[in-house]
Amino acid sequence: MSENQAPAPGSTALPPGAAARPVTLQVNGNPYTLLLEPRTTLLDALREVMHLTGTKKGCDRGQCGACTVLSDGRRIQACLTLAVMQEGREITTIEGLASGDTLHPLQAAFVAHDALQCGFCTPGQICAAVALLAEARAGEASAVEPLAAPALPLSEDEIRERMSGNLCRCGAYPNIVAAIREVDGKR
Ligand code: FES
Ligand code: FES
């Protein structure tokens, strides 16, 4: 490829002179060794290199939550972390939540409650909700009651506050909250 020739779609070709290095990521239980520039975000590594396109790119600047994934069980925005920073951690994306043909309970609840319209925000919403329930179970406070462990199951206010980093342009919030409340109530 000459310097002025565009890489083929899906190509992992690097610009001339870019200092790529091997990066090993553990994603959904599988190891991936990739050749990445250090500036590559986790989001771009997932979508453009590993072709795990369930994780969505909305704003690419930490404002919408569409790219939410789990890193060692904690929710993070994949557009705000470099892939190289995630070496040694277990990354879970929406593709890794189901067990074979059995949906994760939150995935099933989103379907049952019709908690989506276009679905673009949904992978991030579900990953955030998985972490939210774990955080509440661990007694982590939110801005609703900053000095106290939350009462379980969580109130609607608690869920809305804890999900406030995930935007839905379709406005499916009531059904998203209902889906999370259903799973929270079954714990
Ligand atoms: S794409 Fe990462 S927060 Fe919007
Ligand atoms: S379902 Fe369309 S943005 Fe949330």
Side-chain angles (χ1 to χ4, degrees), residues 116-119 121 168-170:
L116 59 141
Q117 290 183 38
C118 76
C121 72
C168 174
R169 280 180 285 186
C170 297

Side-chain angles (χ1 to χ4, degrees), residues 70-121:
L70 306 177
S71 172
D72 285 345
R74 308 286 302 185
R75 48 181 156 169
I76 62 169
Q77 290 170 324
C79 70
L80 289 187
T81 186
L82 301 176
V84 69
M85 294 167 65
Q86 296 299 319
E87 281 190 303
R89 298 186 177 154
E90 174 61 44
I91 304 299
T92 305
T93 69
I94 191 71
E95 290 93 342
L97 290 182
S99 299
D101 290 337
T102 304
L103 294 178
H104 185 284
L106 277 162
Q107 291 176 305
F110 268 61
V111 173
H113 286 270
D114 201 19
L116 59 141
Q117 290 183 38
C118 76
F120 193 83
C121 72

